[in-house]
Amino acid sequence: MIAGYHPLVKQVLDGELSLADLPPELRAEAEEAVRLVQAADRAPVILSSAVEDRVMAVVRGHAASPARRAWRWINAPRDIELRLRVRPWVLWGGALAAAAVLALLLTRPTSSPGPETRVASRDSVLVRFVLYAPGARRVAVAGTFNQWDRSAAPLVPAGTSGVWTTTLALPVGQHQYAFVVDGERWVVDPGAPAVNDGFGRRNSLVAVTAHGTRAL
Amino acid sequence: MNRCSLLLRLIVLAVVPGALAGQDVAKQLDGRVSPDVRKAVVTIAADAAARGLPVAPLVEKAIEGGAKGVPADRVIAAVRTLAGRMGDAMSALRAAGVVAPSGDVVEGGADALNVGLTSSDVRDLVRVSRPPYDASLTLRVAATLVALGVPPDQALQLVNAMIKAGRSPGDLLTLPAEVQAGVGGGATPGQAAAGLARAAAAGRPPVPPGQAKTGKPVNPHRP
């Protein structure tokens, strides 16, 4: 069997190697294999007409079975003509209903405000927030990305150094935020630009792009 | 169907979406702001929606005020101011030829006005913001530069220089960080911005003063 031959011998049979390329211990095996392949009869096989008739009879019988015919009938495409007779007020009513649905879909705001909704279909990027707040008992970051929830994103103290840190997955876009120290003191990020928040305080800015974060 | 009936239906079609939007705003504010703030913001938001302004920033501002414990009258005033600013931004955008600006661009325009850029600055920035530059991006970058202390005219010059030089939108986004790096190196915000504008005009990579040694911008948020 060919399957039992050495891989190099198989390469000889495939014409990829010559006998001279083989190590001496494989040459006898290769010569034997070549001899067997060359001895194979490559003459075309001619079947008797009786065999052909039997095969075709089976094929025709299979094609003409009731199940096959039923399937073909079910599956065959057909032309169908539909005639609808409607009163004009039905058409007008339908058009108005469709317009109402379209107007609702187009004008209704999204279920939650803020950047999360606006960029929900885009990628998020990991952003690390760091604040040096020695003596703080707890620190969190709140912003447009978490609906200004003071407890949604707590920072973790890095030992006793006074450094607090957390990493958040933020959606692509620009976000405003501030740190909340001890649950009540709002602190801007000293390492980021800040803008007036409209209440007489400041919000820090961070821009998240698909390629990383920018301290916008 | 007679004409009165048709007119009535059209009126319903015009009013119902606004009423539903008001309900949605009220629902979002439930438990986050005081009843007074909730009531006032629903009214302000309905008016804004009728003018084609985005409602989400208003709701968000009210929620922010509630979270920060800001007194109700100040929250309402801030939301009203934001609505007015978005209206001004909308006018500037329309003056720039944008017929139906997206909510994001309107909000970007309001951000720009918030830091001291004028309506004509907003209009001019939108006019130069042809693809691939998104108007909301250029507006926010300019606003952030001004927030960093760059004089408004220099901020506009810098953004314009970057666009004229064909720099990518991503390059625009790095400008504030590069100005910060320049300030960290001892330059004033204006000097840093001027250096960046000169570099853009000369076709050089944007390397502001103070950044030349490390080549890395100051970025406390890098993951």
Side-chain angles (χ1 to χ4, degrees), chain A residues 96 100 104 107 109-115 118 126-129 144 147-148 150 174 177 186 189 191-201 203 205-207 209 213-216, chain B residues 1 6 9 13 16-17 20-21 24 28 32 56 59-61 63-65 67-68 70 74-75 78 104 107 111 114-115 140-141 144 147-148 173-174 176-177 180 219-223:
Chain A
L96 280 173
L104 286 177
T107 57
T110 48
S111 59
S112 67
R118 287 195 293 274
L126 291 175
V127 180
R128 187 159 56 93
F129 291 91
T144 50
Q147 302 236 311
W148 297 96
R150 284 181 290 183
Q174 182 174 295
Y177 66 98
W186 291 77
D189 188 338
V195 290
N196 181 4
D197 70 353
F199 308 119
R201 302 179 191 177
N203 285 336
L205 289 173
V206 62
T209 70
T213 313
R214 311 287 183 201
L216 255 189
Chain B
M1 182 169 51
L6 179 60
R9 287 175 190 223
L13 279 178
V16 165
L20 286 175
D24 203 33
Q28 289 174 62
R32 292 170 176 264
V59 175
E60 187 182 287
K61 184 55 68 182
I63 290 173
E64 179 188 349
K68 290 180 173 177
V70 177
R74 291 202 70 173
V75 175
D104 205 29
E107 203 181 345
D111 286 350
N114 184 35
V115 297
R140 286 197 163 107
V141 167
T144 309
L148 281 169
L173 266 175
T174 64
Q180 276 191 303
N219 187 352
H221 306 290
R222 191 171 291 281

Side-chain angles (χ1 to χ4, degrees), chain A residues 114-130 140-149 152-155 166-179 189 192 204-216, chain B residues 219-223:
Chain A
E116 286 169 293
T117 304
R118 287 195 293 274
V119 294
S121 61
R122 300 185 196 169
D123 292 336
S124 291
V125 176
L126 291 175
V127 180
R128 187 159 56 93
F129 291 91
V130 180
V141 60
T144 50
F145 44 81
N146 61 10
Q147 302 236 311
W148 297 96
D149 188 335
L155 274 69
T166 190
T167 300
L168 302 178
L170 298 189
V172 169
Q174 182 174 295
H175 308 281
Q176 295 190 20
Y177 66 98
F179 294 110
D189 188 338
S204 301
L205 289 173
V206 62
V208 179
T209 70
H211 306 294
T213 313
R214 311 287 183 201
L216 255 189
Chain B
N219 187 352
H221 306 290
R222 191 171 291 281

Side-chain angles (χ1 to χ4, degrees), chain B residues 174-196:
Chain B
T174 64
L175 286 177
E178 285 157 3
V179 167
Q180 276 191 303
V183 171
T188 65
Q191 288 169 339
L196 289 167

Side-chain angles (χ1 to χ4, degrees), chain B residues 78-98:
Chain B
V79 172
R80 194 167 281 131
T81 301
L82 177 57
R85 204 174 282 133
M86 287 198 300
D88 292 344
M90 177 73 96
S91 300
L93 294 168
R94 286 186 174 148
V98 184

